[in-house]
Amino acid sequence: MVDLSTKYLGLELRTPLMASASPLSQELSGVRALEDAGASAVVLSSLFEEQLRLETLELVHHLAASTESFPEALSFFPHSSEFHLGPDEYLNHILKAKAAVDVPLIASLNGSTVGGWTDYARQIQDAGADALECNIYYIPTDMELAGEAVEQTYVEILRAVKAAVTIPVAVKLSPFFSNMANMAKRMEKAGADGLVLFNRFYQPDIDLEELEVKPNVLLSTPQALRLPLTWIGILYGHVNLSLAATSGIHTPEDALKMLMVGADVTMLCSALFLQGIGHLKEMERAIVRWMEDREYESVSQMRGSMSRLRCPDPSAFERAQYMRAIKSYQSL
């Protein structure tokens, strides 16, 4: 019997197949459906830093409504109706979900400044979340802001959150650092329990009819897995952190590759939108068959076997693979 169990952020999980933060988990029925389909843990849909700031501004607005001292501050934020769950509703969602399912629930905070994260992180813990994922979505546009200052913002956010809670904290990073390996090490030193690799930046699009800049969500494709696969393979064995792979995981083969380079868990999102939540069960069955055919007894036996640390050819994760790839393509 193949043992699919794994550990992530200190949590014992039945399998390495998790549901990442998405609208699929913003309703209690969705959380239940993900558990029924075989998700070993669920990252709840994200609460945005802007929602916490908006709630504060609205409170100030009502308290100072007669003073005429509140000039259009709220207009800089999306309207509260555009968010599915407000801060209070989010906490209530955690409470209800914890009572309804048995799998671990990981809350998700999405932001870019220290701000009000810390107080709310504590409330998330009190509501019963098993862990917290800090999704730091930061696009610096200040041309005078050095890369070191950008990186320090990540460190300060993490330290502030870790000082506020005792539950495990994972940081969801983008890959756009001068030295991703160094950034991972800095996250470890700042107290991170795990890294989620990687955040996907949703770049805007242009509506040529309305001449407006508009948001445009493009679901991931399997091609996207190459980036987290590369960096998890490099980091495995060099940081004492849980490593979660996300983006581009659509098939059982994709998940297996991530595990073999060193991921503790693989998070699914786009594949569940495209294939349905039941795709989780199909992936689990296919992974078991693949492991049985190759006489793997457990995920732990397989994990990291193709990482840079254990790979027969470590240069495959470095510049040499670039040169070989170009040469092989030209010779086709």
Side-chain angles (χ1 to χ4, degrees):
M1 183 68 177
V2 171
D3 179 10
L4 292 183
S5 65
T6 188
K7 183 180 289 188
Y8 175 60
L9 303 178
L11 304 171
E12 299 287 346
L13 304 183
R14 187 182 64 82
T15 81
L17 297 174
M18 287 179 53
S20 61
S22 80
L24 293 171
S25 59
Q26 66 186 11
E27 298 281 359
L28 184 58
S29 59
V31 179
R32 285 180 173 141
L34 288 166
E35 180 186 47
D36 291 343
S40 63
V42 175
V43 183
L44 299 176
S45 57
S46 296
L47 186 80
F48 291 84
E49 175 189 348
E50 287 79 1
Q51 292 172 262
L52 301 176
R53 291 161 62 192
L54 178 59
E55 183 180 71
T56 301
L57 285 173
E58 286 179 334
L59 175 60
V60 173
H61 170 56
H62 292 300
L63 291 175
S66 61
T67 68
E68 298 182 358
S69 61
F70 196 77
E72 298 187 0
L74 293 177
S75 66
F76 291 99
F77 296 92
H79 192 274
S80 57
S81 63
E82 295 182 45
F83 296 113
H84 183 78
L85 294 174
D88 290 339
E89 291 86 356
Y90 194 84
L91 295 174
N92 193 44
H93 183 48
I94 296 173
L95 284 167
K96 289 182 177 178
K98 280 296 296 180
V101 300
D102 294 323
V103 296
L105 298 177
I106 300 173
S108 173
L109 280 178
N110 187 309
S112 60
T113 65
V114 175
W117 285 46
T118 52
D119 289 340
Y120 196 78
R122 193 177 296 111
Q123 293 179 61
I124 281 176
Q125 173 177 284
D126 293 342
D130 295 286
L132 175 61
E133 181 178 290
C134 290
N135 186 343
I136 305 177
Y137 191 104
Y138 184 27
I139 303 178
T141 57
D142 182 352
M143 293 185 181
E144 302 301 319
L145 189 65
E148 172 66 22
V150 174
E151 294 176 0
Q152 188 61 30
T153 298
Y154 283 73
V155 173
E156 290 173 359
I157 289 173
L158 173 60
R159 284 177 176 165
V161 173
K162 283 292 294 183
V165 300
T166 57
I167 57 175
V169 176
V171 182
K172 193 170 187 178
L173 294 174
S174 84
F176 304 121
F177 295 100
S178 297
N179 186 346
M180 181 61 217
N182 176 261
M183 195 60 191
K185 200 67 179 177
R186 290 184 68 180
M187 292 289 97
E188 180 182 10
K189 289 180 179 179
D193 298 283
L195 296 178
V196 183
L197 306 177
F198 286 108
N199 193 338
R200 294 183 66 217
F201 281 129
Y202 291 105
Q203 296 89 353
D205 199 358
I206 303 294
D207 186 323
L208 294 176
E209 294 297 325
E210 301 294 332
L211 297 182
E212 292 180 357
V213 178
K214 291 190 172 182
N216 183 21
V217 175
L218 296 175
L219 296 179
S220 76
T221 68
Q223 176 65 25
L225 69 83
R226 298 291 184 87
L227 195 56
L229 183 148
T230 298
W231 277 107
I232 289 174
I234 291 171
L235 294 175
Y236 176 82
H238 295 283
V239 290
N240 188 27
L241 296 168
S242 290
L243 297 173
T246 187
S247 192
I249 302 168
H250 286 249
T251 68
E253 292 77 14
D254 297 336
L256 285 162
K257 290 175 184 178
M258 290 298 193
L259 296 171
M260 295 187 82
V261 295
D264 295 287
V265 293
T266 60
M267 295 184 175
L268 284 79
C269 179
S270 294
L272 303 184
F273 280 107
L274 294 169
Q275 305 292 332
I277 293 176
H279 186 55
L280 278 162
K281 288 183 179 179
E282 296 173 8
M283 286 189 64
E284 181 178 333
R285 287 193 290 264
I287 289 171
V288 169
R289 285 196 301 269
W290 187 93
M291 292 176 66
E292 287 176 340
D293 289 345
R294 289 155 183 81
E295 299 183 350
Y296 281 102
E297 297 180 356
S298 66
V299 165
S300 60
Q301 177 190 0
M302 180 173 57
R303 185 186 301 113
S305 59
M306 293 300 295
S307 66
R308 180 175 175 268
L309 187 66
R310 296 179 180 173
C311 181
D313 182 12
S315 67
F317 287 93
E318 302 169 2
R319 180 173 169 80
Q321 63 81 25
Y322 167 79
M323 294 183 289
R324 292 169 186 162
I326 297 298
K327 184 176 180 181
S328 65
Y329 186 81
Q330 290 176 339
S331 63
L332 290 178

